[in-house]
Amino acid sequence: MDHKKPPATPESLEYKNLKQGEFWRHVPAYREIDEATFLDHLWQQKHAVKTPEELLQTIEGLASPEFIKDAEAGFSRAPMAVRVSPYAMSLIDWNDPYNDPIRRQFIPVGSMLLPDHPRLTLDSLHEQDDSPVPGLVHRYVDKALFLPLNTCPVYCRFCTRSYAIGPDTENVDKVSLAKTPKQWEDAFKYISERPELEDIVISGGDTYQLPPKNIELIGNALLDIPHVRRMRFATKGPAIMPMKIITHKEWLDALASVVDRGRSLGKDVVLHTHYNSPEEITWITERAMRMLFERGIFVRNQSVLIRGVNDTPERMQMLVKRLGHLNVHPYYVYMHDMVKGVEELRTTIQTATDIEKFVRGSTAGFNSPTFVCDAPGGGGKRDVHSYEYYDRENGIAVYAAPSVKPGKAFLYFDPIDKLTPDAQARWAVREIQDQMIHEALRKAGAGDEALVPA
Ligand SMILES: *Cc1c(COP(=O)(O)O)cnc(C)c1O
Ligand code: SF4
C-alpha cells in the first residue's frame, strides 16, 4: 500500500517507551528492595530524603563527593525544605546529577544558584491579598482556590507558595494556612455565602497528604453547597509517588467516592496532577493512571516550564505525548513564577511561545496544553501570547487582565542571565530599570499608575 507519508521514526515513538522493571535497584540504598516493598507508599514516605546526611547515605558511591558537598550548600540556602521519595531518587541520573531534570526540581545545589531578578518577591502572585479567610484564595469571579494544608509529598524548589508551604527553612518563616477541619469551616462558610463560586480547586500543600477521611470530609462539604458545580483535587503526588494510588486503597476509594457522589449530583470532580518531565513517568505511573481511569476519575495535568527540565520543544512534546498516551490531559504549562532562589530554573516568554508553536499540531487539540503566565501581582493566568507588549531585548512582558483586575497592568520579567550583556548591564542600574519599565508600559498603552508591582 502507498502510505504517502514516510514511516514514523523510532525517536518520534519514544514517548511510549516507559521505564520498566526494578529500576531502583541500581541505587545502593535500594539494592535489596523488592517490588512489593518499593510499591508500598508507607515505605516510600518513610524513606524520603530530607537532609544532606540522608542524601549521602542513599547515594554514597553513586554521585561524586563534590556533588554531595554542593547539595549540602544548596540545602542551607534554599527557601524550600527538601523531601525526595525513593521513587524520584531512583529516577535521577547520578552520573550527571547537575543536568538531571528530576534533581533540578527537588535538590538545590549551591554552585548553580543565580542572583534573583531585582524585581522578585516571595509571594509573587499576591495570593494573600485575595484571601478572605485563611486558606482560601478568591481571585477569579466564579472559582476559588482552597489550601487545606501546607505539606506536600515532595517540596518543589520552584513552588509558587514557598511563602507558606513546608516547614520553615533557614531562609523563610512560613505564613500559616488553615490546617484542621475546624479551621476549614470558615472557608466552607465563605464559599456557601458566595453564589457566584461554581468551581473549587483543592490544593495546598498537596491533597496527597490528606488522609482519606479528610478527602471525603472536604469533598462532601463542598458537594453539599448547592452552587458548587466543579471541583478539582490537585496533587504533585502521582509524579513523585505513583504507587500510592496502587497501594493506598483507602485513599483511592475516598477520592472515587467523592467523584461518584459528584456524578450522581451532576457535579464534576476531577484530579489534577503535576508532571514536569517525561522521566517521571514509568510503568508504575502507567498502572496507577490505569486504575484512576478504570474508576472513572478524569485526570488533567499542569506543568511548569523549567529550564533544563522541559524547556526544549522536543522534551515538551515528549512529555505532552506521554501524558496523552496514559489518558492524562495536558491542561496548562505555566511560566515559572517569579519566586526567590530559583533563577536558574526560569526561562523567557519567547521560549514559551516557541515551544507552544512546536507542540501544537503534534497531537490531539484537547491534549495540547495552553501556555500561561500567572501574572505577577495577582492578575491571574494569561495566555503567554496575549501580552500587550513584549520588550524581548530587556525581557519585559506587559499583561492586562480585564475580567480579573480591570485597568491594571502586570509585568513578567525574563531571567537576567538569558539577556544580552548590554541588557544585563542596564538591569544593574536602578534608574535604568525604572526607565525600561516605564517605556514598556507606555508601549503597552498603560500608564505607570496602572502597574501592579510584582
Ligand atoms: C489557577 C487558579 C484557579 C483555577 O484556574 P483555572 O484557569 O480554571 O485552572 C483558581 N484560583 C486561583 C487563585 C488560581 O491560581
Ligand atoms: S507539590 Fe505543589 S504546593 Fe507542594 S511544593 Fe510542589 S509546587 Fe508547591
Side-chain angles (χ1 to χ4, degrees), residues 125 127 130 137-140 142-146 161 199-201 232 272 302 331-332 334 372 374 380-381:
L125 301 182
E127 290 191 332
D130 284 325
V137 183
H138 186 188
R139 163 161 303 152
Y140 301 93
D142 74 345
K143 56 194 176 190
L145 172 64
F146 179 39
R161 295 192 191 100
D199 183 352
I200 309 297
V201 181
R232 346 170 184 172
H272 276 203
Q302 314 196 155
Y331 172 40
Y332 279 145
Y334 288 79
V372 293
D374 209 339
K381 301 172 189 70

Side-chain angles (χ1 to χ4, degrees), residues 80 151-156 158-161 165 203-206 235-236 274:
M80 289 299 279
T151 60
C152 301
V154 62
Y155 291 113
C156 311
F158 47 88
C159 183
T160 291
R161 295 192 191 100
I165 298 304
S203 182
D206 192 296
T235 172
K236 175 87 188 167
H274 177 180

Side-chain angles (χ1 to χ4, degrees), residues 301-336:
N301 187 67
Q302 314 196 155
S303 299
V304 178
L305 182 63
I306 308 175
R307 207 194 299 183
V309 172
N310 54 21
D311 67 333
T312 66
E314 293 73 21
R315 284 188 56 79
M316 184 59 78
Q317 185 183 53
M318 168 99 136
L319 173 65
V320 162
K321 295 200 72 162
R322 193 163 271 185
L323 289 166
H325 187 64
L326 303 188
N327 287 317
V328 175
H329 288 219
Y331 172 40
Y332 279 145
V333 176
Y334 288 79
M335 286 307 290
H336 194 301

Side-chain angles (χ1 to χ4, degrees), residues 180-251:
T180 63
K182 186 94 200 92
Q183 293 168 316
W184 299 337
E185 278 168 19
D186 286 343
F188 300 147
K189 182 155 190 298
Y190 176 87
I191 295 167
S192 71
E193 289 170 0
R194 303 294 301 211
E196 74 273 36
L197 282 176
E198 292 215 330
D199 183 352
I200 309 297
V201 181
I202 305 143
S203 182
D206 192 296
T207 53
Y208 235 44
Q209 302 298 107
L210 288 171
K213 68 172 190 310
N214 287 345
I215 294 273
E216 291 192 51
L217 187 155
I218 292 171
N220 287 322
L222 294 172
L223 286 175
D224 285 341
I225 299 172
H227 52 261
V228 171
R229 305 283 302 159
R230 296 180 290 282
M231 276 154 56
R232 346 170 184 172
F233 285 93
T235 172
K236 175 87 188 167
I240 198 82
M241 209 187 282
M243 50 284 286
K244 177 171 164 117
I245 291 170
I246 303 172
T247 57
H248 195 178
K249 188 174 173 304
E250 297 77 19
W251 192 87

